[in-house]
Amino acid sequence: MKDQARVLGIDDGPFVKGIGRAALAGVLVCPPGYVEGVMISSCQVDGDDANQAIVGMVRDSRYSEQVRMIMVDGAAMGGFNVVDVRALSQELGVPVLTISRDEPDMAAIRSALMTHFPDWERRYEIVSRNRVRPVEVPDGRVFVTSEGIEDREADAMVRRCTVRGCLPEPVRLAHLVATALMRGESRGRA
């Protein structure tokens, strides 16, 4: 990936479980940390419109032609509104990565989906489709899945975008913006 490639980090803000919509923030960064722009959208809490919300966020933005990679904080937005990284990568024509601080507990995810969703098998298939791998960063490691790019290149971009701490700047900044949208100020582990 070229040195000046812009990376869009996406995270959801705090939400009420099972009710309403979750705010989504997107922060477009020229690595390692120069902010190019901010985008806002929303998705249904525990719904199935996360991909539509992200596609709309990108396509309706004046920055749409600049986005060369998307990094999503986790595999779902607004609870269990699962992000289909394969479909998202194909639709937008850019690599899509999920970034998690902690290794996903697939057994717990499967159990939660089985308990709460009649379409749990579809959601679980999407979440478990891509192999989760650890990526070492300066202050620890994160867990990454990727689509539309080779693992080695994706991992290098995660490292390149990580300024301090464990999270790549696009995702860290998206977390701060999404939290501030809902709480009036940013807080939490970012």
Side-chain angles (χ1 to χ4, degrees):
M1 187 154 287
K2 293 182 179 180
D3 281 350
Q4 298 302 310
R6 276 36 174 204
V7 178
L8 179 64
I10 299 175
D11 196 9
D12 58 349
F15 57 89
V16 178
K17 188 175 180 179
I19 299 174
R21 298 190 68 78
L24 302 181
V27 177
L28 187 65
V29 172
C30 179
Y34 183 80
V35 176
E36 296 279 345
V38 176
M39 305 170 207
I40 303 298
S41 187
S42 68
C43 68
Q44 184 68 39
V45 172
D46 292 329
D48 63 358
D49 64 343
N51 275 43
Q52 292 170 328
I54 294 169
V55 168
M57 177 192 293
V58 172
R59 287 200 174 142
D60 294 344
S61 166
R62 67 186 183 111
Y63 303 106
S64 63
E65 296 299 316
Q66 296 179 36
V67 176
R68 295 291 175 255
M69 175 182 279
I70 296 174
M71 293 182 180
V72 181
D73 187 0
M77 303 277 101
F80 277 111
N81 196 330
V82 175
V83 177
D84 185 337
V85 294
R86 180 176 297 158
L88 190 59
S89 176
Q90 290 172 350
E91 187 160 357
L92 291 174
V94 298
V96 177
L97 285 63
T98 65
I99 312 289
S100 302
R101 283 183 193 274
D102 302 309
E103 186 170 11
D105 181 343
M106 297 311 287
I109 291 169
R110 186 175 193 270
S111 177
L113 288 171
M114 286 176 69
T115 302
H116 299 289
F117 298 96
D119 66 342
W120 72 268
E121 291 173 294
R122 179 187 67 81
R123 292 177 195 241
Y124 185 74
E125 189 278 322
I126 292 169
V127 167
S128 61
R129 183 184 296 154
N130 295 78
R131 181 179 62 84
V132 177
R133 62 187 181 280
V135 175
E136 298 299 323
V137 293
D139 290 336
R141 69 178 167 185
V142 291
F143 294 87
V144 176
T145 69
S146 57
E147 189 68 46
I149 190 171
E150 290 189 23
D151 291 355
R152 183 179 42 80
E153 191 176 1
D155 298 354
M157 188 57 107
V158 168
R159 287 185 199 96
R160 190 161 152 239
C161 288
T162 304
V163 174
R164 68 173 52 139
C166 290
L167 287 179
E169 267 318 87
V171 172
R172 190 184 78 79
L173 294 169
H175 173 79
L176 293 173
V177 172
T179 303
L181 277 171
M182 299 309 296
R183 294 193 171 143
E185 66 181 358
S186 58
R187 64 183 206 207
R189 288 176 36 178

